[in-house]
Amino acid sequence: MAARSLLVASLLLLSCFAETCHGVVLFSSLQRTLLVTASPKQGEVLKAGENNITVSWGLNQTFPAGTDSAYKTIKVKLCYAPISQVDRAWRKTVDNLSKDKTCQFNVVTGPYNRSNSTSTIIVEKDVPTATYFVRAYAYDSQDNEVAYGQTTDGHKTTNLFDIQAITGRHVSLDIASACFSAFSVLALLGFFFMEKRKSMVLSYKSETGKWAMFNNCSLLCSISVS
Ligand SMILES: *[C@@H]1O[C@H](CO)[C@@H](O)[C@H](O)[C@H]1NC(C)=O
Ligand SMILES: *[C@@H]1O[C@H](CO)[C@@H](O)[C@H](O)[C@H]1NC(C)=O
Ligand SMILES: *[C@@H]1O[C@H](CO)[C@@H](O)[C@H](O)[C@H]1NC(C)=O
Ligand SMILES: *[C@@H]1O[C@H](CO)[C@@H](O)[C@H](O)[C@H]1NC(C)=O
Ligand SMILES: *[C@@H]1O[C@H](CO)[C@@H](O)[C@H](O)[C@H]1NC(C)=O
């Protein structure tokens, strides 16, 4: 028991270290030094698994040389627009980036390049129906966010586009409906045998007595009784 709690404690400690090792970065502390553009127009609707997005990113050249000396890698992500975050805690924007849920879908990960980079990606099938924008984060060699850029303005109101998830039934829905079908077949069988037993009892009783007609009985037994 003691050994186990020791193990749990050390695991907790380890995960704390892992957390702090990744640093605590606040979004509000990042400089917007990257220029990011994406092909979807304001209000455009893209189909997941079908349509593509072309994204470009690079340093805003008005920043002095050396601004990007610490940038090692870039991640380009799809992020939920505020309208798709309402009442959804699992998409919430938190300034503490280790808790932020705004940008959940990585579309490009690669080494940072000072000159513009461009990439075309197909929207993944698991991207849910929502309104999005594109944001890129630059990371230093410790894998901490050090800068960002995005296709929308600071209030996330411009250049928003929609992604429509694949239509068709969800797997869990299929499982649920299969369960219901199995249940209804079982229930039907159950009723059938209950009725059958009742009618057997009735036909036996109608041979010995004459009360069967007055019995509270459904169609199945009345046929077998008559
Ligand atoms: C991206 O989509 C456009 C129009 O839907 C199409 O013309 C183009 O070939 C696609 N590009 C790639 C790389 O799939
Ligand atoms: C580049 O950065 C400067 C300084 O922050 C800013 O004024 C300018 O609007 C940025 N350029 C673009 C295209 O966002
Ligand atoms: C940010 O979140 C991490 C992980 O939950 C936490 O350890 C840290 O204290 C938070 N930092 C701030 C400034 O809220
Ligand atoms: C950066 O991009 C330029 C032009 O596309 C290319 O020549 C260069 O090799 C790239 N550098 C790195 C480090 O990827
Ligand atoms: C990089 O892209 C921006 C727009 O995203 C554009 O204004 C700039 O001219 C491009 N720079 C180069 C070197 O292609």
Side-chain angles (χ1 to χ4, degrees):
M1 197 61 203
R4 212 167 104 190
S5 44
L6 194 70
L7 184 72
V8 169
S10 50
L11 274 179
L12 270 176
L13 207 66
L14 255 177
S15 66
C16 289
F17 273 127
E19 198 90 51
T20 49
C21 166
H22 266 277
V24 174
V25 178
L26 301 181
F27 181 73
S28 53
S29 73
L30 300 181
Q31 237 187 338
R32 185 172 177 172
T33 61
L34 302 174
L35 292 181
V36 183
T37 55
S39 56
K41 295 174 189 65
Q42 165 81 33
E44 193 170 332
V45 179
L46 303 169
K47 288 202 177 72
E50 230 173 83
N51 294 138
N52 61 48
I53 298 179
T54 301
V55 285
S56 304
W57 63 94
L59 186 72
N60 177 341
Q61 302 291 340
T62 60
F63 284 93
T67 301
D68 56 352
S69 55
Y71 304 0
K72 288 287 176 286
T73 52
I74 284 277
K75 278 186 191 164
V76 181
K77 302 176 181 220
L78 289 178
C79 312
Y80 291 115
I83 192 171
S84 292
Q85 293 176 303
V86 175
D87 291 336
R88 292 176 178 86
W90 63 94
R91 297 179 179 174
K92 208 170 157 195
T93 294
V94 181
D95 198 31
N96 187 339
L97 282 179
S98 64
K99 293 176 181 163
D100 184 40
K101 303 279 198 309
T102 315
C103 304
Q104 297 186 15
F105 304 96
N106 257 340
V107 290
V108 183
T109 303
Y112 172 74
N113 193 329
R114 172 159 237 272
S115 54
N116 283 1
S117 308
T118 297
S119 185
T120 298
I121 55 102
I122 305 267
V123 180
E124 294 280 345
K125 283 185 183 136
D126 62 349
V127 175
T129 299
T131 303
Y132 295 87
F133 63 91
V134 177
R135 181 182 283 170
Y137 285 109
Y139 296 81
D140 63 11
S141 52
Q142 267 88 54
D143 221 14
N144 289 322
E145 293 88 349
V146 284
Y148 81 103
Q150 62 191 22
T151 54
T152 187
D153 63 342
H155 298 293
K156 305 183 217 170
T157 55
T158 58
N159 289 325
L160 306 176
F161 57 93
D162 292 323
I163 290 177
Q164 213 166 49
I166 328 171
T167 52
R169 294 159 67 183
H170 205 269
V171 179
S172 61
L173 266 184
D174 281 345
I175 291 171
S177 70
C179 282
F180 274 117
S181 313
F183 174 77
S184 56
V185 166
L186 277 177
L188 205 67
L189 279 177
F191 280 122
F192 179 74
F193 284 114
M194 257 167 60
E195 289 295 309
K196 199 148 168 106
R197 230 183 76 202
K198 220 197 269 181
S199 72
M200 272 160 66
V201 170
L202 277 178
S203 48
Y204 169 76
K205 285 203 172 162
S206 61
E207 270 165 36
T208 53
K210 289 195 189 65
W211 56 271
M213 295 298 284
F214 302 103
N215 207 307
N216 179 15
C217 179
S218 65
L219 189 67
L220 203 59
C221 2
S222 37
I223 290 169
S224 59
V225 166
S226 58

